[in-house]
Amino acid sequence: MLRYALRTLARMAVTFLVIVTLVFFATRISGNPLDFILADGLTSEDRAILIRYYELDRSWWHQYLAFLRGFWDGQFGLSFIERRPVGTIVLERLWPTAQLLLSAMALTLALALPLGILAAMHRDRWIGSAVMTLAFLGYAVPNFVLAVFLILIFAYWLNWLPVVGNATAWHFILPTLTLASGLVAALTRFTRNAMLDVLGQDFMRTARAKGLSERAVILRHGLRNAGITILSVVGLQVAGLAAAGSVVVESIFAWPGIGELLVRSAIRRDYPVLQFGVLTVAFAVIVINALIDLAYAWADPRLRQRGA
Amino acid sequence: MTAAPLLTVEGLTLDFGRHRAVDGLSFTIARGETLALVGESGSGKSATALAIMRLIERDGGTIAGGRILLAGDPPTDLAALPDPAMRRIRGNRISMIFQEPMTALNPVMPLGRQVEEVLRLHDGLDAAAARAAARAAFERVRIPEAARRLDQFPHELSGGLRQRVMIAMALACRPELLIADEPTTALDVTTQAEILALIRQLQAELGMSVLFITHDMGVVAEIARHMVVLRHGRKEEDGPVAEVFARPRAAYTRMLMAAAPRLGAGAPAAPQPLPPPVLEAEGLAVRFPLGRSLIPSQARFHHAVNGVSLTVRRGETLGLVGESGCGKSTVARALLRLIEPDEGSVRLLGTELVGLGSGALRALRRQAQIVFQDPFASLNPRLPVADLVTEPAAIHGTVPPAERRALAVELLGRVGLEPAAADRYPHQFSGGQRQRICIARALSVRPALIVADEPVSALDVSVARQITDLMARLQAEDGLAFLFISHDIAVVERVSHRIAVMYAGQIVETGPTGAVLRNPLHPYTRRLLAAVPVPDPAGHGRRPALPPAPPHPHLLLRRGEAPDRWPLVEAAPGHFVAQGQPAEGGAGAAAQAPAPRQRTPATA
């Protein structure tokens, strides 16, 4: 287990370095930030000063090394626009995003696991088809379309729920629903398939031959085994989907989270914020994946002992 | 039959969709008695077992008629019992063990918990009492170190131990009837002998009845007092085992008994004078690294094959026998360089294969083909048979594309299949027919040698017989050499001119088949022979205890270490036996006590 953990850690470090590099060059390719700032009424002298200050006249290679050095020293730079340290800007956005993701995740697990199991148990009956049709709809409807409908119905016509910001618990309902819809669809389908695999296994027949009730067979023997496969997908796909979905959802509902910050910084070509924001998200995704990897290895006794 | 019947099956009829799996089957099982339900695949024997457990609906079957009466006052008709009442019987009054101990246990639940579950359910024990009872259940089935096993997971146990856990679980609530569905088919012959002995002992201790489902006439003679022969869902014959064996009435029963491999039935005579060798291997060794270590000297290796030398001559079959894990399949793959041997040499038709460049190796591979155990997995389901059987020839360029079909028809004819088979797909054939297709495929490049790795182990006995007869015919026609690998010593005897017994990665005894089987010199060979079930009910219950496995060196070693090699000594002309610490001379000598396993570092 320890060796497995060390290997996971090493893999994390390499992945992160690759992402840092990609992000750095991707932001450079996307255009010059000063074109945007110039529109705010900078003179060409101001522009020259800024270029020198941010070392934009040096080679990309030099900028890259300086960027890495800054990273090492914990100096992530100042926002071009807000003139504040990017660390502060990004960190104050972190918690609202985490809140939104956690509530969407909780809703997803609470809905998708029972629905997936139900669909697997009754796959040839109407209830199974109904669940799968719903899941298909959730897949097919993009979350920004769903968001528009939710806003129209609950905010505009009924005037029940707020849609801007994260001030109260009521503010959570619409963004959470929007974000969770795609996740529920993905996880329901996956749970169903994982469960179908398990239902055909020999040990399920053994469990029934013991005289266990169908409920105990499914929950105690089936879900335990399917859960290991489901766990891996929660880490890889659902976490990724959630991160991507939060960018859209936060923008629509003006949620003061990291996704909304990224969109705004990209539009304004605020490199330092964009870079640090993307890296923070990447770091979070890598850490979550690694944790789930470890949980996966721990949950499966066959893996737990091999790495020991 | 004096005892009152425990279970009475009357006119049982089972359907899977529109297919009638069992038709009007009737039998009774007396208290404390063992009834064998015998038949080949598709006979409906497993469906009958599942119907008694009322698990057949889960598998898409229905009970279309008949009654299943379980003794009581009044008797219960299981066929009409609602599920909640049936659940109180399952695992309690009737329990079941299955064929595959590898997959029948939950892989992520500790073994103890899986047994405790039944005890808590039916006997209402609390956690502590259930754990104690589970430990007692493990001890009852003679699982060594029972207390420690409770917290282990299935993958940590061997197949035989897992089947013991299954039995412990089935017997935890002291059932009146145990249904055993081919419980030893997936096990080695020595493990099978131990499990059969265990079931017999437990039956005597607990006084339970056993419904034993099997295809193996030898096992029937060993374990059952009464038997029912099933074919295509109908009863062909029933009666006391001794009577059925002495005077089988149904033609099908006679055919089954004739097809069953019988140890001592005679081996083919070796060709004289000795033909030239096709394959010669010397000092072959294969080791697999286990995991990776940061410190090279700490790396450990599993020594799967350790110094194997063998020769296969033209027109000859060498039978390689041994239990699972002894390294016989690894030998087969190393001989063809499907895996690289770490040591030793392999000469095919005089050319050294080890170290040969890939181009030359590919050209030479034409001369040596392989046939695998599983005819279902080894044929690409998306290709028509014509393409499948001619594929090696096409790869080696020995057949122009325009003639592939003609070649396919010719090959299919040689293995006894119709020309029309060429246009069909693998799923349209039975297991035996598929194995014929695999053999036709191997023949397509006119090889000098076919390595057959357990080619008939997945087949019914009557089909297996046809396949081995086919192999013998092909050998007589073309002078093919076979390396026939099997765990079933009786099948090996039937086909092999010479035999090599493998144990712990080494050949411990080799020689002409008749000489080795009639006069086994190595204790392991004797153990293997003693374990083979004898299809003769006269020996029922009087079988001597199985001699213990001889000690062998550790196979899991650090880098630079190697297991001891036993030198082979010629005991009679052409009959060699491993000398060294475990061996002892003279047939019929008493089995020795197991010595502690030793580990010897190599002189590095």
Side-chain angles (χ1 to χ4, degrees):
Chain A
M1 195 70 197
L2 180 68
R3 188 187 302 168
Y4 191 82
L6 285 176
R7 205 160 16 177
T8 310
L9 216 61
R11 205 165 40 209
M12 272 172 67
V14 172
T15 317
F16 193 64
L17 188 68
V18 170
I19 292 176
V20 167
T21 310
L22 281 178
V23 165
F24 177 84
F25 287 105
T27 40
R28 304 297 123 155
I29 295 167
S30 67
N32 192 328
L34 296 182
D35 295 343
F36 189 85
I37 299 173
L38 207 58
D40 278 358
L42 283 178
T43 65
S44 51
E45 287 94 74
D46 295 335
R47 190 184 154 103
I49 292 167
L50 280 172
I51 285 176
R52 212 169 316 120
Y53 179 75
Y54 289 112
E55 298 190 318
L56 292 176
D57 51 346
R58 310 290 294 263
S59 71
W60 278 12
W61 180 238
H62 178 91
Q63 292 183 40
Y64 176 60
L65 288 182
F67 176 62
L68 284 188
R69 203 177 318 120
F71 231 89
W72 188 251
D73 299 339
Q75 295 294 318
F76 308 114
L78 293 178
S79 160
F80 285 167
I81 314 270
E82 294 186 38
R83 313 282 149 83
R84 288 201 292 146
V86 295
T88 327
I89 297 178
V90 170
L91 286 182
E92 64 194 23
R93 296 296 195 112
L94 219 49
W95 180 232
T97 296
Q99 280 178 308
L100 180 60
L101 284 182
L102 284 175
S103 65
M105 221 46 182
L107 182 66
T108 303
L109 289 175
L111 286 177
L113 292 185
L115 282 176
I117 294 170
L118 211 62
M121 285 173 67
H122 306 285
R123 71 157 155 176
D124 295 327
R125 273 180 272 169
W126 67 267
I127 190 165
S129 330
V131 168
M132 289 329 284
T133 309
L134 267 180
F136 180 74
L137 275 177
Y139 242 20
V141 178
N143 48 16
F144 56 87
V145 175
L146 182 69
V148 170
F149 276 102
L150 288 176
I151 291 171
L152 265 179
I153 296 169
F154 293 102
Y156 187 75
W157 289 336
L158 298 173
N159 207 6
W160 286 355
L161 293 169
V163 289
V164 174
N166 66 339
T168 68
W170 295 107
H171 286 83
F172 274 78
I173 296 177
L174 290 184
T176 301
L177 276 178
T178 311
L179 187 54
S181 69
L183 303 180
V184 170
L187 197 62
T188 301
R189 286 170 66 105
F190 196 83
T191 304
R192 171 184 180 264
N193 292 344
M195 209 60 206
L196 278 180
D197 280 349
V198 170
L199 285 180
Q201 302 273 329
D202 285 353
F203 62 79
M204 296 292 277
R205 192 182 49 188
T206 308
R208 290 197 184 92
K210 288 176 178 176
L212 291 175
S213 68
E214 196 56 25
R215 202 183 127 90
V217 172
I218 296 280
L219 293 183
R220 218 178 294 161
H221 292 271
L223 195 56
R224 262 183 106 93
N225 277 276
I228 291 173
T229 350
I230 295 170
L231 195 59
S232 69
V233 104
V234 169
L236 285 171
Q237 297 196 342
V238 177
L241 268 179
S246 74
V247 172
V248 176
V249 172
E250 286 180 7
S251 300
I252 293 175
F253 292 97
W255 194 267
I258 218 162
E260 197 263 349
L261 176 72
L262 287 181
V263 173
R264 193 169 354 147
S265 309
I267 293 170
R268 299 197 290 191
R269 300 225 172 83
D270 196 346
Y271 281 2
V273 177
L274 188 59
Q275 276 170 176
F276 189 68
V278 168
L279 290 178
T280 310
V281 172
F283 186 69
V285 169
I286 290 173
V287 169
I288 290 170
N289 266 330
L291 287 178
I292 288 182
D293 251 20
L294 289 177
Y296 181 71
W298 178 83
D300 190 336
R302 288 158 294 192
L303 278 180
R304 198 189 314 164
Q305 274 138 8
R306 190 169 338 135
Chain B
M1 199 187 310
T2 50
L6 172 72
L7 189 83
T8 309
V9 173
E10 286 175 2
L12 184 67
T13 301
L14 304 173
D15 287 345
F16 283 93
R18 287 175 32 213
H19 170 67
R20 179 139 293 185
V22 173
D23 195 358
L25 177 65
S26 301
F27 60 83
T28 59
I29 306 175
R31 281 194 187 274
E33 183 207 61
T34 301
L35 175 79
L37 203 52
V38 190
E40 298 188 289
S41 48
S43 64
K45 54 192 198 301
S46 291
T48 305
L50 289 176
I52 296 171
M53 289 295 279
R54 285 294 298 281
L55 291 170
I56 192 158
E57 287 94 342
R58 276 272 146 211
D59 287 4
T62 46
I63 299 179
R67 299 198 296 168
I68 303 168
L69 296 175
L70 181 64
D73 193 25
T76 318
D77 181 8
L78 301 181
L81 206 60
D83 194 54
M86 192 63 221
R87 282 209 304 269
R88 284 195 293 276
I89 290 176
R90 275 190 213 128
N92 192 16
R93 291 188 67 192
I94 306 179
S95 57
M96 184 161 177
I97 52 179
F98 300 95
Q99 175 172 348
E100 281 294 341
M102 296 298 169
T103 54
L105 291 166
N106 187 337
V108 301
M109 193 187 267
L111 296 167
R113 287 264 309 282
Q114 302 194 38
V115 178
E116 289 161 29
E117 200 177 37
V118 208
L119 290 158
R120 298 177 72 161
L121 181 71
H122 295 296
D123 291 357
L125 300 183
D126 63 26
R131 193 171 165 87
R135 186 179 163 173
F138 274 25
E139 279 161 356
R140 192 186 306 146
V141 298
R142 285 87 168 159
I143 292 175
E145 302 174 77
R148 190 166 67 87
R149 307 284 181 196
L150 291 175
D151 296 317
Q152 287 189 314
F153 290 90
H155 71 274
E156 298 173 72
L157 269 58
S158 68
L161 273 183
R162 285 191 222 192
Q163 198 60 294
R164 279 173 197 263
V165 172
M166 277 300 291
I167 295 173
M169 203 157 82
L171 300 189
C173 295
R174 299 182 171 257
E176 294 159 69
L177 174 65
L178 173 71
I179 302 176
D181 186 359
E182 303 256 14
T184 58
T185 306
L187 303 177
D188 278 321
V189 62
T190 50
T191 316
Q192 163 172 294
E194 288 163 1
I195 295 287
L196 290 179
L198 177 70
I199 291 178
R200 269 202 309 266
Q201 283 169 10
L202 292 170
Q203 183 176 23
E205 285 172 25
L206 302 177
M208 63 182 176
S209 309
V210 176
L211 175 62
F212 200 100
I213 294 172
T214 182
H215 66 280
D216 188 331
M217 284 296 193
V219 171
V220 173
E222 296 261 318
I223 195 136
R225 195 58 55 86
H226 288 263
M227 66 191 282
V228 172
V229 180
L230 267 186
R231 184 195 193 193
H232 301 323
R234 288 171 185 276
K235 183 159 76 178
E236 289 277 329
E237 175 159 13
D238 63 352
V241 171
E243 265 175 42
V244 175
F245 270 69
R247 287 174 296 279
R249 280 170 287 134
Y252 180 67
T253 314
R254 284 197 291 276
M255 192 279 290
L256 265 188
M257 294 180 67
R262 224 185 164 95
L263 197 58
Q272 289 292 342
L274 279 185
V278 172
L279 181 82
E280 294 167 280
E282 252 184 68
L284 210 58
V286 181
R287 48 182 178 265
F288 297 111
L290 280 184
R292 264 165 294 170
S293 177
L294 300 174
I295 311 152
S297 65
Q298 292 289 310
R300 308 226 290 168
F301 292 86
H302 174 70
H303 291 254
V305 175
N306 188 31
V308 163
S309 303
L310 50 83
T311 305
V312 190
R313 297 174 183 278
R314 203 179 125 74
E316 180 194 57
T317 298
L318 174 67
L320 190 59
V321 268
E323 302 192 344
S324 53
C326 75
K328 55 192 192 301
S329 288
T330 309
V331 166
R333 283 158 178 74
L335 287 173
L336 303 182
R337 268 187 69 191
L338 296 176
I339 51 179
E340 289 295 329
D342 292 298
E343 280 174 45
S345 89
V346 180
R347 279 189 305 282
L348 181 62
L349 298 169
T351 310
E352 177 62 53
L353 290 187
V354 177
L356 201 63
S358 61
L361 178 66
R362 196 174 313 140
L364 212 57
R365 279 226 171 105
R366 188 177 77 75
Q367 296 293 345
Q369 294 291 305
I370 189 162
V371 172
F372 295 100
Q373 170 173 358
D374 188 346
F376 293 84
S378 51
L379 292 172
N380 184 339
R382 296 190 203 288
L383 288 182
V385 167
D387 287 1
L388 284 172
V389 296
T390 55
E391 195 172 25
I395 290 170
H396 289 285
T398 58
V399 58
E403 289 168 29
R404 273 182 80 164
R405 222 198 112 76
L407 176 65
V409 170
E410 181 202 323
L411 290 167
L412 291 171
R414 290 199 62 197
V415 298
L417 291 175
E418 294 169 11
D423 299 316
R424 294 198 272 158
Y425 288 84
H427 72 266
Q428 294 171 288
F429 295 90
S430 68
Q433 290 170 322
R434 286 186 216 209
Q435 204 56 296
R436 284 172 193 267
I437 293 171
C438 290
I439 292 172
R441 174 168 67 179
L443 290 176
S444 73
V445 284
R446 311 189 64 77
L449 170 76
I450 290 183
V451 174
D453 190 359
E454 303 266 9
V456 298
S457 304
L459 305 177
D460 280 328
V461 278
S462 57
V463 180
R465 174 106 221 189
Q466 293 161 9
I467 296 290
T468 51
D469 288 351
L470 168 70
M471 290 170 71
R473 197 188 82 220
L474 293 170
Q475 186 166 54
E477 286 169 9
D478 298 6
L480 261 175
F482 279 103
L483 178 64
F484 189 98
I485 298 171
S486 180
H487 68 281
D488 187 337
I489 207 162
V491 171
V492 169
E493 178 188 25
R494 197 160 68 199
V495 299
S496 307
H497 304 98
R498 285 188 307 118
I499 190 170
V501 181
M502 235 184 128
Y503 179 59
Q506 303 191 38
I507 289 178
V508 293
E509 184 159 4
T510 179
T513 306
V516 172
L517 298 189
R518 267 197 309 277
N519 184 25
L521 297 177
H522 196 273
Y524 179 71
T525 314
R526 289 205 289 270
R527 173 175 157 85
L528 208 53
L529 288 170
V532 177
V534 186
D536 176 12
H540 185 88
R542 275 183 283 125
R543 138 196 298 285
L546 201 60
H552 66 74
H554 260 303
L555 300 180
L556 200 62
L557 297 174
R558 297 233 166 87
R559 180 186 298 278
E561 297 175 332
D564 271 349
R565 288 185 186 177
W566 297 306
L568 286 172
V569 175
E570 189 160 17
H575 186 169
F576 295 83
V577 63
Q579 286 295 312
Q581 183 249 339
E584 57 172 29
Q592 58 195 4
R597 290 181 179 179
Q598 54 169 336
R599 191 169 88 194
T600 350
T603 48

